[in-house]
Amino acid sequence: MSKKYILTIIMAFCLGSTFAEQLESSNLTTTKAESSLADQVLPTPTPVATPAAKPVNSTPLKPVNKIVAYVNKRIITQNELNNQMVQARFNLSQRGIKDTNNADLKNKVLEQMIMQQIQLDLAQRGGIKTSDAEVNDAIAANEKAQRITDDQMRQKLASQGLSYDDFRSQIRDQITIEKLKQREVDGRVVINEDEVTRILNSETYKNKIDYRLADIVINLPEQATQEIIAQKQKQADSVYQLLKQGQSFDQMAIKYSSAPNALAGGDLGWKSNTSLPPIILNQLTGLKEGEITQVIKLPIGFFIFKVNGIKQHGTPQIVRQYNVRHILVKVNELTSDDEAHQKINDIRAKIVKYDGDSARESQEFVEMAKQYSEDTSSLKGGDIGWVSKGDTVPQFEHAMLTTPQGQISQPIRSPFGWHILQVMNIRDSNLANDKEKAEIRMELRDTKAQMLYTEWVRNLKEMAYVKINDD
């Protein structure tokens, strides 16, 4: 395994696994020119004559809604921060994390809100929008997953102090940011088949173990001096000693960790030993559930890991595979999103005009793929062979799983452009390698996407203007 590959795995793995948590501490700057703006409060009361004596039953003044941060040309208010802190406390309580220090929680929540706003600004400039229908579909899927009705969902939100309108707004923002991530990051992820084969044939994979991990990260600046490195090492050692004395790992992560998953108590989810770099795996080997590693120095900082669960590699399951063909119209400098969308709609219309004649539709699909598809599979009439879950990007996979066999899908937007697809056949394979390779591909895709996303977010922060109002 090359040093470059190991470094890629280390950086991506240690910075967390959940897109919603990929938020880092911002470089905060101030300017004298905005000092007067920082003193603003919302709303500004209209001046009125002051009475000589205050009536006993007069209405008390409402707390002012101060500006707590400036992000590019936008602001974050105290009320918005307070609302997010209430939700953060609720989420932490669901994980069993209580009594979090208010100042620590405020800092972490504000960092999340700042990074979210930076990404939403970029999405707006890039023309990325989320429709009401997409929000409705996401909420419906959420309710279905929880097996609750719409009324029950509203009651649940109310118990958390969250209005339904605010909930919809949050869902819209999440979808928009995910679209931005797919465009800027996920489309650049390439999985090399040699990587998959090398891991599949390794000794580590033959003795596969999954760890439920959490981490605390003491970050190192990119150009850290020896003095700064020594200071960070001392801080990491102090945190380690506190943990050994019985301090809560969750609370220590919220207080000290600079990783984007700090508000989740450092939770990283389940990680296979095949995806862990040796420097981390060597520390985990032999640990029991609930134990922690020593401080591990990596290129981006000092890390402490906790093992929250261990499970052995189980018996491979049967893999369902889909024989798929597709037509792709790419979105690029020459073809806009709207143009590509219209073109794929026109192609689909030419195929489905035979109204249920599957033989004619299949023949027409092959001809259209050869003529119009901007993919190497066009030479084979769009046939990309047998595909398993985890082999493709999420949008394409969802359409593949939900489109009835033999029918032509509706247009699909992926990081590559606009597609239509047809599932020609479905089979259940009992070949262990199929399932194992699919799992390895997913792990590699997650790892590479995490690293690319981390680099991308870091660059976004450097280009953004952020100022905290400490008044």
Side-chain angles (χ1 to χ4, degrees):
M1 186 177 292
S2 68
K3 292 182 178 179
K4 182 178 179 182
Y5 179 79
I6 292 176
L7 180 58
T8 299
I9 299 294
I10 289 172
M11 291 183 67
F13 162 74
C14 295
L15 288 167
S17 60
T18 304
F19 170 70
E21 295 172 340
Q22 302 295 319
L23 304 165
E24 300 181 284
S25 301
S26 299
N27 295 324
L28 305 178
T29 59
T30 61
T31 61
K32 183 176 180 181
E34 288 192 322
S35 60
S36 60
L37 182 59
D39 295 328
Q40 291 186 52
V41 294
L42 302 176
T44 302
T46 302
V48 296
T50 304
K54 179 181 178 182
V56 175
N57 295 324
S58 63
T59 303
L61 292 175
K62 295 182 179 180
V64 293
N65 186 15
K66 291 186 176 181
I67 298 171
V68 296
Y70 304 90
V71 184
N72 295 327
K73 296 181 179 180
R74 301 177 185 271
I75 62 171
I76 296 174
T77 68
Q78 185 67 56
N79 285 353
E80 291 171 333
L81 176 58
N82 291 343
N83 290 338
Q84 290 298 314
M85 288 181 66
V86 170
Q87 287 186 250
R89 283 198 181 279
F90 178 83
N91 293 336
L92 289 172
S93 69
Q94 296 299 295
R95 294 175 175 268
I97 305 174
K98 299 180 179 180
D99 302 323
T100 302
N101 179 273
N102 195 65
D104 297 334
L105 182 64
K106 176 184 175 182
N107 290 337
K108 287 294 185 293
V109 170
L110 185 55
E111 288 170 8
Q112 282 194 356
M113 296 176 71
I114 288 169
M115 281 311 305
Q116 182 183 57
Q117 188 58 62
I118 291 172
Q119 292 175 84
L120 289 173
D121 285 349
L122 182 61
Q124 184 182 43
R125 293 197 299 271
I128 297 176
K129 299 179 181 179
T130 298
S131 67
D132 289 339
E134 290 174 297
V135 175
N136 294 339
D137 289 345
I139 293 176
N142 190 309
E143 292 171 348
K144 183 178 180 181
Q146 297 185 57
R147 298 182 179 179
I148 60 177
T149 65
D150 188 66
D151 287 340
Q152 290 172 325
M153 171 63 83
R154 291 172 184 266
Q155 293 172 8
K156 183 176 181 180
L157 293 171
S159 69
Q160 300 173 21
L162 183 64
S163 72
Y164 191 73
D165 287 342
D166 286 344
F167 175 65
R168 286 184 61 86
S169 179
Q170 290 183 12
I171 294 296
R172 188 184 303 275
D173 288 346
Q174 291 173 10
I175 295 172
T176 301
I177 290 175
E178 182 60 26
K179 288 180 178 180
L180 178 67
K181 177 177 176 287
Q182 290 169 358
R183 189 184 73 178
E184 300 292 333
V185 178
D186 294 350
R188 296 160 53 195
V189 176
V190 177
I191 304 301
N192 189 321
E193 195 64 27
D194 290 340
E195 295 176 88
V196 176
T197 302
R198 183 169 62 250
I199 292 175
L200 184 63
N201 295 330
S202 68
E203 287 298 320
T204 300
Y205 194 82
K206 294 177 183 178
N207 300 285
K208 186 177 178 183
I209 300 174
D210 294 328
Y211 295 96
R212 180 68 183 264
L213 298 176
D215 69 352
I216 292 173
V217 183
I218 306 300
N219 200 30
L220 275 176
E222 187 175 358
Q223 301 295 332
T225 63
Q226 288 301 316
E227 181 180 0
I228 293 177
I229 293 174
Q231 291 173 355
K232 297 293 186 179
Q233 174 80 68
K234 184 177 180 180
Q235 183 182 9
D237 290 341
S238 297
V239 174
Y240 176 76
Q241 290 302 321
L242 288 171
L243 292 170
K244 296 298 286 185
Q245 293 168 15
Q247 291 292 323
S248 163
F249 193 97
D250 296 328
Q251 299 292 356
M252 292 295 97
I254 294 170
K255 183 175 181 63
Y256 293 108
S257 182
S258 56
N261 58 352
L263 266 180
D267 184 35
L268 289 166
W270 287 98
K271 298 291 179 181
S272 167
N273 60 344
T274 60
S275 67
L276 302 177
I279 191 172
I280 297 174
L281 185 58
N282 291 341
Q283 287 270 356
L284 292 173
T285 302
L287 290 184
K288 299 177 182 178
E289 187 172 331
E291 293 184 335
I292 63 173
T293 67
Q294 296 180 355
V295 177
I296 303 173
K297 184 179 184 298
L298 298 175
I300 57 176
F302 296 93
F303 293 74
I304 304 170
F305 294 91
K306 180 183 179 183
V307 178
N308 286 325
I310 301 174
K311 61 183 180 182
Q312 300 290 329
H313 184 43
T315 303
Q317 302 175 8
I318 298 297
V319 179
R320 175 150 289 192
Q321 297 182 310
Y322 302 80
N323 189 200
V324 181
R325 56 185 167 210
H326 80 131
I327 297 172
L328 167 65
V329 178
K330 292 183 176 180
V331 176
N332 50 38
E333 296 81 2
L334 300 178
T335 306
S336 70
D337 188 90
D338 288 341
E339 290 171 340
H341 191 191
Q342 183 61 51
K343 185 174 181 180
I344 203 70
N345 272 316
D346 293 340
I347 293 172
R348 185 180 186 277
K350 292 179 181 178
I351 297 173
V352 300
K353 68 181 180 181
Y354 296 102
D355 192 25
D357 187 337
S358 58
R360 292 292 301 275
E361 284 186 351
S362 294
Q363 182 181 356
E364 189 69 12
F365 194 109
V366 171
E367 294 301 320
M368 292 291 102
K370 289 180 178 179
Q371 185 174 353
Y372 296 110
S373 184
E374 300 175 62
D375 183 63
T376 54
S377 64
S378 62
L379 298 175
K380 298 183 290 183
D383 189 349
I384 58 176
W386 289 98
V387 180
S388 305
K389 288 184 65 175
D391 288 347
T392 66
V393 295
Q395 304 89 335
F396 192 94
E397 178 176 285
H398 177 74
M400 178 184 75
L401 298 178
T402 56
T403 301
Q405 183 175 338
Q407 294 187 16
I408 312 301
S409 74
Q410 293 295 324
I412 311 148
R413 180 64 165 94
S414 84
F416 306 103
W418 284 95
H419 313 247
I420 54 173
L421 64 79
Q422 181 184 37
V423 177
M424 297 177 285
N425 206 348
I426 302 174
R427 72 182 183 187
D428 289 324
S429 172
N430 61 0
L431 298 176
N433 276 7
D434 290 339
K435 172 65 175 175
E436 293 166 347
K437 284 186 175 182
E439 291 176 345
I440 293 171
R441 287 191 195 97
M442 290 181 68
E443 290 171 359
L444 288 175
R445 180 176 294 278
D446 287 345
T447 298
K448 291 186 176 185
Q450 287 166 20
M451 181 191 176
L452 289 173
Y453 180 71
T454 301
E455 294 178 338
W456 178 70
V457 166
R458 182 183 60 195
N459 293 336
L460 278 186
K461 290 191 302 180
E462 293 175 355
M463 294 185 293
Y465 170 79
V466 177
K467 177 182 178 292
I468 297 292
N469 180 15
D470 295 322
D471 294 343

